[in-house]
Amino acid sequence: MKEQISTTNAPAAIGPYSQAIMAGNTLYVSGQLGIVPATGQLAEGGVEAQARQSLTNIKSILEAAGLSMSNVVKTTCLLADIADFAAFNAIYSEFFPSAPAPARSAFAVKALPKAALVEIEAIAVKD
């Protein structure tokens, strides 16, 4: 059985997908760009601002499902420029400060929707 999870505290889907789906005790959060929900625009301030907003959006979706960042077990991180990897990691570590950090994949991609600099998806497990 699966349940759609959504919140107005994260941007609405920009395509035919859900913000997140809860399947059993596992939450699958769709890739989140650094879009500010109130404006529908990318956060200004480069990769750091977009990474922070993307992770804030994920946090809001998790909260809508009754979860927190500590429930995240895996992330997939997409960067428009691998040269931003260190700056991205600095922001990412603010959201996952304690061990064990989630498992993670990070990739440089040719382009992201809306010319974003970062997109992050997450999988979380309810305790």
PDB file of all heavy atoms in Angstrom, residues 66-103:
ATOM      1  N   GLY A  66       5.726  12.906   9.096  1.00  0.00           N
ATOM      2  CA  GLY A  66       6.003  12.560  10.485  1.00  0.00           C
ATOM      3  C   GLY A  66       7.417  12.067  10.717  1.00  0.00           C
ATOM      4  O   GLY A  66       7.683  11.380  11.700  1.00  0.00           O
ATOM      5  N   LEU A  67       8.328  12.423   9.822  1.00  0.00           N
ATOM      6  CA  LEU A  67       9.726  11.989   9.914  1.00  0.00           C
ATOM      7  C   LEU A  67      10.652  13.191  10.043  1.00  0.00           C
ATOM      8  O   LEU A  67      10.199  14.341   9.995  1.00  0.00           O
ATOM      9  CB  LEU A  67      10.105  11.173   8.668  1.00  0.00           C
ATOM     10  CG  LEU A  67       9.249   9.935   8.377  1.00  0.00           C
ATOM     11  CD1 LEU A  67       9.656   9.308   7.054  1.00  0.00           C
ATOM     12  CD2 LEU A  67       9.362   8.936   9.503  1.00  0.00           C
ATOM     13  N   SER A  68      11.939  12.920  10.203  1.00  0.00           N
ATOM     14  CA  SER A  68      12.940  13.988  10.284  1.00  0.00           C
ATOM     15  C   SER A  68      14.167  13.591   9.465  1.00  0.00           C
ATOM     16  O   SER A  68      14.237  12.471   8.932  1.00  0.00           O
ATOM     17  CB  SER A  68      13.346  14.231  11.736  1.00  0.00           C
ATOM     18  OG  SER A  68      14.122  13.146  12.217  1.00  0.00           O
ATOM     19  N   MET A  69      15.108  14.482   9.403  1.00  0.00           N
ATOM     20  CA  MET A  69      16.336  14.209   8.645  1.00  0.00           C
ATOM     21  C   MET A  69      17.077  12.991   9.205  1.00  0.00           C
ATOM     22  O   MET A  69      17.776  12.302   8.475  1.00  0.00           O
ATOM     23  CB  MET A  69      17.252  15.436   8.640  1.00  0.00           C
ATOM     24  CG  MET A  69      16.663  16.649   7.932  1.00  0.00           C
ATOM     25  SD  MET A  69      16.310  16.392   6.190  1.00  0.00           S
ATOM     26  CE  MET A  69      17.867  16.844   5.447  1.00  0.00           C
ATOM     27  N   SER A  70      16.894  12.697  10.471  1.00  0.00           N
ATOM     28  CA  SER A  70      17.564  11.535  11.060  1.00  0.00           C
ATOM     29  C   SER A  70      17.003  10.212  10.535  1.00  0.00           C
ATOM     30  O   SER A  70      17.624   9.170  10.694  1.00  0.00           O
ATOM     31  CB  SER A  70      17.497  11.577  12.585  1.00  0.00           C
ATOM     32  OG  SER A  70      16.165  11.459  13.021  1.00  0.00           O
ATOM     33  N   ASN A  71      15.839  10.251   9.884  1.00  0.00           N
ATOM     34  CA  ASN A  71      15.255   9.050   9.288  1.00  0.00           C
ATOM     35  C   ASN A  71      15.800   8.759   7.893  1.00  0.00           C
ATOM     36  O   ASN A  71      15.533   7.688   7.337  1.00  0.00           O
ATOM     37  CB  ASN A  71      13.732   9.177   9.192  1.00  0.00           C
ATOM     38  CG  ASN A  71      13.065   9.201  10.543  1.00  0.00           C
ATOM     39  OD1 ASN A  71      12.715  10.255  11.050  1.00  0.00           O
ATOM     40  ND2 ASN A  71      12.895   8.040  11.146  1.00  0.00           N
ATOM     41  N   VAL A  72      16.545   9.703   7.310  1.00  0.00           N
ATOM     42  CA  VAL A  72      17.062   9.533   5.951  1.00  0.00           C
ATOM     43  C   VAL A  72      18.172   8.483   5.950  1.00  0.00           C
ATOM     44  O   VAL A  72      19.120   8.559   6.731  1.00  0.00           O
ATOM     45  CB  VAL A  72      17.578  10.862   5.369  1.00  0.00           C
ATOM     46  CG1 VAL A  72      18.214  10.660   3.998  1.00  0.00           C
ATOM     47  CG2 VAL A  72      16.440  11.874   5.281  1.00  0.00           C
ATOM     48  N   VAL A  73      18.031   7.500   5.058  1.00  0.00           N
ATOM     49  CA  VAL A  73      19.033   6.436   4.956  1.00  0.00           C
ATOM     50  C   VAL A  73      19.845   6.517   3.662  1.00  0.00           C
ATOM     51  O   VAL A  73      20.918   5.935   3.578  1.00  0.00           O
ATOM     52  CB  VAL A  73      18.393   5.032   5.082  1.00  0.00           C
ATOM     53  CG1 VAL A  73      17.787   4.858   6.468  1.00  0.00           C
ATOM     54  CG2 VAL A  73      17.373   4.778   3.991  1.00  0.00           C
ATOM     55  N   LYS A  74      19.330   7.254   2.653  1.00  0.00           N
ATOM     56  CA  LYS A  74      20.025   7.321   1.361  1.00  0.00           C
ATOM     57  C   LYS A  74      19.631   8.602   0.653  1.00  0.00           C
ATOM     58  O   LYS A  74      18.468   8.991   0.676  1.00  0.00           O
ATOM     59  CB  LYS A  74      19.636   6.116   0.492  1.00  0.00           C
ATOM     60  CG  LYS A  74      20.076   6.148  -0.958  1.00  0.00           C
ATOM     61  CD  LYS A  74      21.564   5.870  -1.111  1.00  0.00           C
ATOM     62  CE  LYS A  74      22.000   5.611  -2.539  1.00  0.00           C
ATOM     63  NZ  LYS A  74      22.157   6.784  -3.353  1.00  0.00           N
ATOM     64  N   THR A  75      20.620   9.263   0.056  1.00  0.00           N
ATOM     65  CA  THR A  75      20.341  10.404  -0.805  1.00  0.00           C
ATOM     66  C   THR A  75      21.055  10.210  -2.139  1.00  0.00           C
ATOM     67  O   THR A  75      22.076   9.516  -2.219  1.00  0.00           O
ATOM     68  CB  THR A  75      20.797  11.746  -0.197  1.00  0.00           C
ATOM     69  OG1 THR A  75      22.211  11.730  -0.006  1.00  0.00           O
ATOM     70  CG2 THR A  75      20.094  12.041   1.119  1.00  0.00           C
ATOM     71  N   THR A  76      20.488  10.824  -3.148  1.00  0.00           N
ATOM     72  CA  THR A  76      21.143  10.926  -4.448  1.00  0.00           C
ATOM     73  C   THR A  76      21.217  12.409  -4.754  1.00  0.00           C
ATOM     74  O   THR A  76      20.197  13.115  -4.697  1.00  0.00           O
ATOM     75  CB  THR A  76      20.349  10.186  -5.539  1.00  0.00           C
ATOM     76  OG1 THR A  76      20.222   8.812  -5.141  1.00  0.00           O
ATOM     77  CG2 THR A  76      21.059  10.259  -6.880  1.00  0.00           C
ATOM     78  N   CYS A  77      22.418  12.877  -5.027  1.00  0.00           N
ATOM     79  CA  CYS A  77      22.672  14.303  -5.206  1.00  0.00           C
ATOM     80  C   CYS A  77      23.193  14.554  -6.613  1.00  0.00           C
ATOM     81  O   CYS A  77      24.146  13.901  -7.051  1.00  0.00           O
ATOM     82  CB  CYS A  77      23.705  14.776  -4.186  1.00  0.00           C
ATOM     83  SG  CYS A  77      23.264  14.338  -2.480  1.00  0.00           S
ATOM     84  N   LEU A  78      22.548  15.479  -7.297  1.00  0.00           N
ATOM     85  CA  LEU A  78      22.916  15.824  -8.664  1.00  0.00           C
ATOM     86  C   LEU A  78      23.423  17.257  -8.693  1.00  0.00           C
ATOM     87  O   LEU A  78      22.749  18.169  -8.193  1.00  0.00           O
ATOM     88  CB  LEU A  78      21.712  15.669  -9.587  1.00  0.00           C
ATOM     89  CG  LEU A  78      20.994  14.318  -9.506  1.00  0.00           C
ATOM     90  CD1 LEU A  78      19.721  14.338 -10.331  1.00  0.00           C
ATOM     91  CD2 LEU A  78      21.904  13.198  -9.954  1.00  0.00           C
ATOM     92  N   LEU A  79      24.595  17.454  -9.258  1.00  0.00           N
ATOM     93  CA  LEU A  79      25.201  18.779  -9.360  1.00  0.00           C
ATOM     94  C   LEU A  79      25.394  19.135 -10.822  1.00  0.00           C
ATOM     95  O   LEU A  79      25.845  18.306 -11.619  1.00  0.00           O
ATOM     96  CB  LEU A  79      26.558  18.810  -8.655  1.00  0.00           C
ATOM     97  CG  LEU A  79      26.566  18.456  -7.161  1.00  0.00           C
ATOM     98  CD1 LEU A  79      27.989  18.305  -6.663  1.00  0.00           C
ATOM     99  CD2 LEU A  79      25.839  19.529  -6.387  1.00  0.00           C
ATOM    100  N   ALA A  80      25.098  20.370 -11.168  1.00  0.00           N
ATOM    101  CA  ALA A  80      25.314  20.827 -12.539  1.00  0.00           C
ATOM    102  C   ALA A  80      26.798  21.001 -12.828  1.00  0.00           C
ATOM    103  O   ALA A  80      27.222  20.941 -13.975  1.00  0.00           O
ATOM    104  CB  ALA A  80      24.562  22.133 -12.783  1.00  0.00           C
ATOM    105  N   ASP A  81      27.607  21.187 -11.773  1.00  0.00           N
ATOM    106  CA  ASP A  81      29.051  21.384 -11.940  1.00  0.00           C
ATOM    107  C   ASP A  81      29.773  20.699 -10.783  1.00  0.00           C
ATOM    108  O   ASP A  81      29.601  21.087  -9.627  1.00  0.00           O
ATOM    109  CB  ASP A  81      29.363  22.880 -11.969  1.00  0.00           C
ATOM    110  CG  ASP A  81      30.819  23.191 -12.268  1.00  0.00           C
ATOM    111  OD1 ASP A  81      31.681  22.277 -12.202  1.00  0.00           O
ATOM    112  OD2 ASP A  81      31.105  24.363 -12.575  1.00  0.00           O
ATOM    113  N   ILE A  82      30.582  19.708 -11.078  1.00  0.00           N
ATOM    114  CA  ILE A  82      31.290  18.962 -10.034  1.00  0.00           C
ATOM    115  C   ILE A  82      32.279  19.853  -9.276  1.00  0.00           C
ATOM    116  O   ILE A  82      32.651  19.548  -8.141  1.00  0.00           O
ATOM    117  CB  ILE A  82      31.979  17.694 -10.606  1.00  0.00           C
ATOM    118  CG1 ILE A  82      32.269  16.675  -9.485  1.00  0.00           C
ATOM    119  CG2 ILE A  82      33.240  18.056 -11.364  1.00  0.00           C
ATOM    120  CD1 ILE A  82      31.050  16.080  -8.856  1.00  0.00           C
ATOM    121  N   ALA A  83      32.636  20.979  -9.842  1.00  0.00           N
ATOM    122  CA  ALA A  83      33.505  21.928  -9.141  1.00  0.00           C
ATOM    123  C   ALA A  83      32.811  22.491  -7.894  1.00  0.00           C
ATOM    124  O   ALA A  83      33.475  23.025  -7.006  1.00  0.00           O
ATOM    125  CB  ALA A  83      33.925  23.055 -10.081  1.00  0.00           C
ATOM    126  N   ASP A  84      31.487  22.366  -7.820  1.00  0.00           N
ATOM    127  CA  ASP A  84      30.729  22.829  -6.655  1.00  0.00           C
ATOM    128  C   ASP A  84      30.660  21.788  -5.539  1.00  0.00           C
ATOM    129  O   ASP A  84      30.012  22.021  -4.518  1.00  0.00           O
ATOM    130  CB  ASP A  84      29.296  23.191  -7.082  1.00  0.00           C
ATOM    131  CG  ASP A  84      29.237  24.439  -7.929  1.00  0.00           C
ATOM    132  OD1 ASP A  84      30.114  25.312  -7.799  1.00  0.00           O
ATOM    133  OD2 ASP A  84      28.286  24.540  -8.743  1.00  0.00           O
ATOM    134  N   PHE A  85      31.337  20.667  -5.705  1.00  0.00           N
ATOM    135  CA  PHE A  85      31.226  19.548  -4.763  1.00  0.00           C
ATOM    136  C   PHE A  85      31.596  19.945  -3.331  1.00  0.00           C
ATOM    137  O   PHE A  85      30.859  19.628  -2.386  1.00  0.00           O
ATOM    138  CB  PHE A  85      32.101  18.384  -5.247  1.00  0.00           C
ATOM    139  CG  PHE A  85      31.910  17.108  -4.480  1.00  0.00           C
ATOM    140  CD1 PHE A  85      30.733  16.382  -4.597  1.00  0.00           C
ATOM    141  CD2 PHE A  85      32.905  16.620  -3.647  1.00  0.00           C
ATOM    142  CE1 PHE A  85      30.556  15.188  -3.895  1.00  0.00           C
ATOM    143  CE2 PHE A  85      32.734  15.434  -2.952  1.00  0.00           C
ATOM    144  CZ  PHE A  85      31.565  14.727  -3.071  1.00  0.00           C
ATOM    145  N   ALA A  86      32.686  20.655  -3.132  1.00  0.00           N
ATOM    146  CA  ALA A  86      33.112  21.037  -1.782  1.00  0.00           C
ATOM    147  C   ALA A  86      32.110  22.001  -1.147  1.00  0.00           C
ATOM    148  O   ALA A  86      31.748  21.834   0.029  1.00  0.00           O
ATOM    149  CB  ALA A  86      34.507  21.645  -1.809  1.00  0.00           C
ATOM    150  N   ALA A  87      31.663  22.981  -1.893  1.00  0.00           N
ATOM    151  CA  ALA A  87      30.681  23.935  -1.371  1.00  0.00           C
ATOM    152  C   ALA A  87      29.380  23.211  -1.031  1.00  0.00           C
ATOM    153  O   ALA A  87      28.756  23.478   0.006  1.00  0.00           O
ATOM    154  CB  ALA A  87      30.441  25.048  -2.385  1.00  0.00           C
ATOM    155  N   PHE A  88      28.968  22.298  -1.892  1.00  0.00           N
ATOM    156  CA  PHE A  88      27.769  21.503  -1.648  1.00  0.00           C
ATOM    157  C   PHE A  88      27.924  20.692  -0.366  1.00  0.00           C
ATOM    158  O   PHE A  88      27.023  20.664   0.480  1.00  0.00           O
ATOM    159  CB  PHE A  88      27.501  20.579  -2.842  1.00  0.00           C
ATOM    160  CG  PHE A  88      26.423  19.572  -2.579  1.00  0.00           C
ATOM    161  CD1 PHE A  88      25.088  19.926  -2.655  1.00  0.00           C
ATOM    162  CD2 PHE A  88      26.746  18.269  -2.229  1.00  0.00           C
ATOM    163  CE1 PHE A  88      24.086  19.007  -2.385  1.00  0.00           C
ATOM    164  CE2 PHE A  88      25.762  17.349  -1.963  1.00  0.00           C
ATOM    165  CZ  PHE A  88      24.424  17.714  -2.040  1.00  0.00           C
ATOM    166  N   ASN A  89      29.055  20.028  -0.196  1.00  0.00           N
ATOM    167  CA  ASN A  89      29.285  19.204   0.996  1.00  0.00           C
ATOM    168  C   ASN A  89      29.207  20.012   2.277  1.00  0.00           C
ATOM    169  O   ASN A  89      28.731  19.515   3.303  1.00  0.00           O
ATOM    170  CB  ASN A  89      30.651  18.511   0.917  1.00  0.00           C
ATOM    171  CG  ASN A  89      30.570  17.154   0.278  1.00  0.00           C
ATOM    172  OD1 ASN A  89      29.521  16.533   0.226  1.00  0.00           O
ATOM    173  ND2 ASN A  89      31.696  16.695  -0.222  1.00  0.00           N
ATOM    174  N   ALA A  90      29.676  21.251   2.240  1.00  0.00           N
ATOM    175  CA  ALA A  90      29.634  22.093   3.435  1.00  0.00           C
ATOM    176  C   ALA A  90      28.187  22.316   3.883  1.00  0.00           C
ATOM    177  O   ALA A  90      27.883  22.226   5.079  1.00  0.00           O
ATOM    178  CB  ALA A  90      30.329  23.424   3.163  1.00  0.00           C
ATOM    179  N   ILE A  91      27.310  22.581   2.946  1.00  0.00           N
ATOM    180  CA  ILE A  91      25.896  22.776   3.285  1.00  0.00           C
ATOM    181  C   ILE A  91      25.251  21.451   3.678  1.00  0.00           C
ATOM    182  O   ILE A  91      24.532  21.364   4.676  1.00  0.00           O
ATOM    183  CB  ILE A  91      25.134  23.409   2.097  1.00  0.00           C
ATOM    184  CG1 ILE A  91      25.762  24.741   1.697  1.00  0.00           C
ATOM    185  CG2 ILE A  91      23.645  23.549   2.421  1.00  0.00           C
ATOM    186  CD1 ILE A  91      25.875  25.760   2.803  1.00  0.00           C
ATOM    187  N   TYR A  92      25.520  20.405   2.916  1.00  0.00           N
ATOM    188  CA  TYR A  92      24.946  19.077   3.177  1.00  0.00           C
ATOM    189  C   TYR A  92      25.257  18.637   4.609  1.00  0.00           C
ATOM    190  O   TYR A  92      24.381  18.120   5.306  1.00  0.00           O
ATOM    191  CB  TYR A  92      25.523  18.090   2.160  1.00  0.00           C
ATOM    192  CG  TYR A  92      24.944  16.704   2.203  1.00  0.00           C
ATOM    193  CD1 TYR A  92      23.839  16.364   1.427  1.00  0.00           C
ATOM    194  CD2 TYR A  92      25.534  15.703   2.984  1.00  0.00           C
ATOM    195  CE1 TYR A  92      23.319  15.077   1.445  1.00  0.00           C
ATOM    196  CE2 TYR A  92      25.021  14.423   3.005  1.00  0.00           C
ATOM    197  CZ  TYR A  92      23.912  14.113   2.236  1.00  0.00           C
ATOM    198  OH  TYR A  92      23.405  12.836   2.256  1.00  0.00           O
ATOM    199  N   SER A  93      26.481  18.870   5.057  1.00  0.00           N
ATOM    200  CA  SER A  93      26.887  18.428   6.401  1.00  0.00           C
ATOM    201  C   SER A  93      26.131  19.172   7.502  1.00  0.00           C
ATOM    202  O   SER A  93      25.998  18.659   8.613  1.00  0.00           O
ATOM    203  CB  SER A  93      28.392  18.571   6.589  1.00  0.00           C
ATOM    204  OG  SER A  93      28.768  19.935   6.584  1.00  0.00           O
ATOM    205  N   GLU A  94      25.607  20.358   7.210  1.00  0.00           N
ATOM    206  CA  GLU A  94      24.797  21.077   8.203  1.00  0.00           C
ATOM    207  C   GLU A  94      23.482  20.343   8.471  1.00  0.00           C
ATOM    208  O   GLU A  94      22.938  20.426   9.571  1.00  0.00           O
ATOM    209  CB  GLU A  94      24.469  22.488   7.698  1.00  0.00           C
ATOM    210  CG  GLU A  94      25.658  23.409   7.597  1.00  0.00           C
ATOM    211  CD  GLU A  94      25.282  24.750   6.969  1.00  0.00           C
ATOM    212  OE1 GLU A  94      24.065  25.054   6.842  1.00  0.00           O
ATOM    213  OE2 GLU A  94      26.208  25.499   6.603  1.00  0.00           O
ATOM    214  N   PHE A  95      22.970  19.640   7.472  1.00  0.00           N
ATOM    215  CA  PHE A  95      21.688  18.951   7.600  1.00  0.00           C
ATOM    216  C   PHE A  95      21.847  17.520   8.115  1.00  0.00           C
ATOM    217  O   PHE A  95      20.873  16.926   8.563  1.00  0.00           O
ATOM    218  CB  PHE A  95      20.946  18.961   6.263  1.00  0.00           C
ATOM    219  CG  PHE A  95      20.362  20.301   5.926  1.00  0.00           C
ATOM    220  CD1 PHE A  95      21.145  21.309   5.401  1.00  0.00           C
ATOM    221  CD2 PHE A  95      19.015  20.563   6.162  1.00  0.00           C
ATOM    222  CE1 PHE A  95      20.611  22.554   5.107  1.00  0.00           C
ATOM    223  CE2 PHE A  95      18.471  21.803   5.876  1.00  0.00           C
ATOM    224  CZ  PHE A  95      19.277  22.801   5.349  1.00  0.00           C
ATOM    225  N   PHE A  96      23.054  16.986   8.029  1.00  0.00           N
ATOM    226  CA  PHE A  96      23.347  15.631   8.517  1.00  0.00           C
ATOM    227  C   PHE A  96      24.609  15.690   9.382  1.00  0.00           C
ATOM    228  O   PHE A  96      25.653  15.144   9.017  1.00  0.00           O
ATOM    229  CB  PHE A  96      23.538  14.662   7.348  1.00  0.00           C
ATOM    230  CG  PHE A  96      22.324  14.527   6.464  1.00  0.00           C
ATOM    231  CD1 PHE A  96      22.294  15.108   5.217  1.00  0.00           C
ATOM    232  CD2 PHE A  96      21.210  13.819   6.899  1.00  0.00           C
ATOM    233  CE1 PHE A  96      21.182  14.985   4.395  1.00  0.00           C
ATOM    234  CE2 PHE A  96      20.088  13.693   6.084  1.00  0.00           C
ATOM    235  CZ  PHE A  96      20.073  14.274   4.837  1.00  0.00           C
ATOM    236  N   PRO A  97      24.512  16.367  10.555  1.00  0.00           N
ATOM    237  CA  PRO A  97      25.717  16.610  11.355  1.00  0.00           C
ATOM    238  C   PRO A  97      26.226  15.433  12.174  1.00  0.00           C
ATOM    239  O   PRO A  97      27.385  15.414  12.567  1.00  0.00           O
ATOM    240  CB  PRO A  97      25.295  17.756  12.274  1.00  0.00           C
ATOM    241  CG  PRO A  97      23.822  17.560  12.449  1.00  0.00           C
ATOM    242  CD  PRO A  97      23.343  17.010  11.119  1.00  0.00           C
ATOM    243  N   SER A  98      25.368  14.456  12.450  1.00  0.00           N
ATOM    244  CA  SER A  98      25.800  13.369  13.327  1.00  0.00           C
ATOM    245  C   SER A  98      25.895  12.057  12.567  1.00  0.00           C
ATOM    246  O   SER A  98      25.185  11.815  11.606  1.00  0.00           O
ATOM    247  CB  SER A  98      24.851  13.240  14.517  1.00  0.00           C
ATOM    248  OG  SER A  98      23.528  13.030  14.082  1.00  0.00           O
ATOM    249  N   ALA A  99      26.792  11.223  13.048  1.00  0.00           N
ATOM    250  CA  ALA A  99      26.997   9.906  12.438  1.00  0.00           C
ATOM    251  C   ALA A  99      25.911   8.961  12.923  1.00  0.00           C
ATOM    252  O   ALA A  99      25.408   9.108  14.031  1.00  0.00           O
ATOM    253  CB  ALA A  99      28.379   9.388  12.801  1.00  0.00           C
ATOM    254  N   PRO A 100      25.521   8.013  12.137  1.00  0.00           N
ATOM    255  CA  PRO A 100      26.003   7.820  10.781  1.00  0.00           C
ATOM    256  C   PRO A 100      25.238   8.696   9.777  1.00  0.00           C
ATOM    257  O   PRO A 100      24.011   8.838   9.881  1.00  0.00           O
ATOM    258  CB  PRO A 100      25.729   6.342  10.508  1.00  0.00           C
ATOM    259  CG  PRO A 100      24.509   6.030  11.329  1.00  0.00           C
ATOM    260  CD  PRO A 100      24.617   6.919  12.561  1.00  0.00           C
ATOM    261  N   ALA A 101      25.964   9.286   8.866  1.00  0.00           N
ATOM    262  CA  ALA A 101      25.335  10.044   7.784  1.00  0.00           C
ATOM    263  C   ALA A 101      24.657   9.049   6.843  1.00  0.00           C
ATOM    264  O   ALA A 101      25.027   7.875   6.800  1.00  0.00           O
ATOM    265  CB  ALA A 101      26.390  10.850   7.032  1.00  0.00           C
ATOM    266  N   PRO A 102      23.670   9.505   6.082  1.00  0.00           N
ATOM    267  CA  PRO A 102      23.019   8.596   5.129  1.00  0.00           C
ATOM    268  C   PRO A 102      23.998   8.113   4.071  1.00  0.00           C
ATOM    269  O   PRO A 102      24.992   8.791   3.773  1.00  0.00           O
ATOM    270  CB  PRO A 102      21.944   9.465   4.470  1.00  0.00           C
ATOM    271  CG  PRO A 102      21.817  10.682   5.300  1.00  0.00           C
ATOM    272  CD  PRO A 102      23.095  10.857   6.036  1.00  0.00           C
ATOM    273  N   ALA A 103      23.718   6.974   3.503  1.00  0.00           N
ATOM    274  CA  ALA A 103      24.457   6.548   2.312  1.00  0.00           C
ATOM    275  C   ALA A 103      24.150   7.583   1.232  1.00  0.00           C
ATOM    276  O   ALA A 103      23.087   8.214   1.246  1.00  0.00           O
ATOM    277  CB  ALA A 103      24.004   5.156   1.880  1.00  0.00           C
TER     278      ALA A 103
END
